[in-house]
Amino acid sequence: MDNVKALIFDVFGTVVDWRSSVVAELEVLGKQHGVASDTDWNKFAQQWYSGHIKNARRIAAGASGPLSVDVMHREILEDLLSSSEWSHIGTLWDEKTRQHLNLVWHRLNGWPDTVEGLHSLKKQAIIATLSNGNVRLLIDMAKHAGLPWDMVFSTELFNTFKPNPKAYLEAMRHLSLPPENCAMVAAHIYDLRAAGSLGMTTIYVRRPHEDSDAIQLDLEVKSKKDGGEVDCVVDSFTELAEILTRAAPAGEN
């Protein structure tokens, strides 16, 4: 991978642990508003996130819908809180509470290896996001979690969502780099398949319970050298930094 000059990162699930971050805030709000202690907040958070993924893919394929994830998250939140399963909570949360909760996606925490790994990788290549999150969300998240990005690319800037090819092509165009000099780093195989089809190097990061497509298909994502479909598989950003260090030409480490 000594040809890689830019590492382009998916964010939700790859860089930040959205699930534990969202669940923690839901638990606090639940206690504050007298919601039953046995409420399955993991289920609520997963339904919220899954709604975002479903809508983003639909819009990426050409359907109409909001291009700001903040707007999309709020629409999904309202749908959840008015559903038969969660309406008993909806009656307890006023507009101020809902506004605050909707911005939880701006306050997500990184995985344990994230900050150290990104700082190491930043010494070896450009590090940038390519996320379906909107620009303000990604800026707030970077400040909250200490993410040292060189550039923040949001699909909001390109009027689409991943996995539409336009998102990847526009990010590379703005970096003035061809696909062979760019690597997509993600914990989701659909993201890497889209990037790989455009000639980008593909780096899969294993994150617990994150890749719903692989889980549903009972798919073990493997590197090409092991008979798989991606260029590299790692368990952390620090491991990736070590791999890139070893791959660098003599004198560049």
Side-chain angles (χ1 to χ4, degrees):
M1 290 196 294
D2 59 349
N3 62 315
V4 172
K5 299 183 184 301
L7 297 164
I8 302 174
F9 290 79
D10 169 67
V11 175
F12 294 115
T14 302
V15 176
V16 293
D17 178 6
W18 64 265
R19 183 178 283 101
S20 67
S21 302
V22 173
V23 168
E25 290 215 21
L26 286 168
E27 289 176 343
V28 170
L29 282 178
K31 290 177 182 178
Q32 290 176 346
H33 293 85
V35 180
S37 59
D38 62 350
T39 298
D40 190 347
W41 292 121
N42 276 285
K43 185 178 183 181
F44 186 98
Q46 184 62 58
Q47 289 180 1
W48 198 2
Y49 179 76
S50 295
H52 149 224
I53 293 296
K54 179 181 178 181
N55 278 284
R57 291 191 188 184
R58 181 179 56 80
I59 294 168
S64 62
L67 292 170
S68 166
V69 163
D70 276 346
V71 175
M72 183 187 294
H73 278 153
R74 183 59 193 267
E75 290 180 354
I76 298 165
L77 178 61
E78 292 301 323
D79 287 344
L80 286 173
L81 293 176
S82 62
S83 69
S84 58
E85 184 174 11
W86 304 108
S87 60
H88 63 289
I89 298 172
T91 60
L92 301 174
W93 288 352
D94 61 14
E95 175 61 20
K96 183 178 179 180
T97 301
R98 295 179 187 212
Q99 287 181 2
H100 175 78
L101 176 58
N102 196 58
L103 295 181
V104 66
W105 302 95
H106 295 226
R107 302 186 292 270
L108 304 181
N109 300 317
W111 293 99
D113 61 277
T114 290
V115 174
E116 177 186 354
L118 288 179
H119 277 284
S120 296
L121 292 166
K122 186 181 176 76
K123 298 174 183 177
Q124 302 176 66
I126 295 167
I127 59 170
T129 71
L130 181 58
S131 173
N132 285 340
N134 48 289
V135 173
R136 179 57 188 270
L137 180 154
L138 294 171
I139 292 171
D140 288 348
M141 185 194 298
K143 288 183 174 295
H144 170 82
L147 309 176
W149 301 119
D150 293 314
M151 179 63 193
V152 170
F153 288 120
S154 162
T155 56
E156 180 186 33
L157 298 171
F158 311 136
N159 296 315
T160 188
F161 286 113
K162 296 184 297 180
N164 189 301
K166 181 181 180 182
Y168 309 89
L169 293 170
E170 284 293 287
M172 290 187 285
R173 182 178 70 82
H174 283 288
L175 291 175
S176 299
L177 289 171
E180 57 267 27
N181 292 143
C182 297
M184 187 71 204
V185 184
H188 312 101
I189 191 61
Y190 85 88
D191 207 350
L192 296 180
R193 285 171 176 163
S197 72
L198 299 171
M200 299 176 71
T201 296
T202 51
I203 301 170
Y204 185 82
V205 186
R206 296 189 186 100
R207 297 301 194 190
H209 315 296
E210 182 54 36
D211 194 349
S212 58
D213 291 318
I215 292 169
Q216 289 172 9
L217 296 171
D218 195 24
L219 172 68
E220 180 185 359
V221 178
K222 299 178 181 179
S223 65
K224 291 174 182 176
K225 69 180 179 63
D226 293 324
E229 58 183 305
V230 300
D231 294 298
C232 181
V233 178
V234 297
D235 290 305
S236 68
F237 291 169
T238 49
E239 180 185 355
L240 176 58
E242 292 169 1
I243 291 171
L244 291 181
T245 298
R246 292 195 297 268
E252 292 190 12
N253 292 341

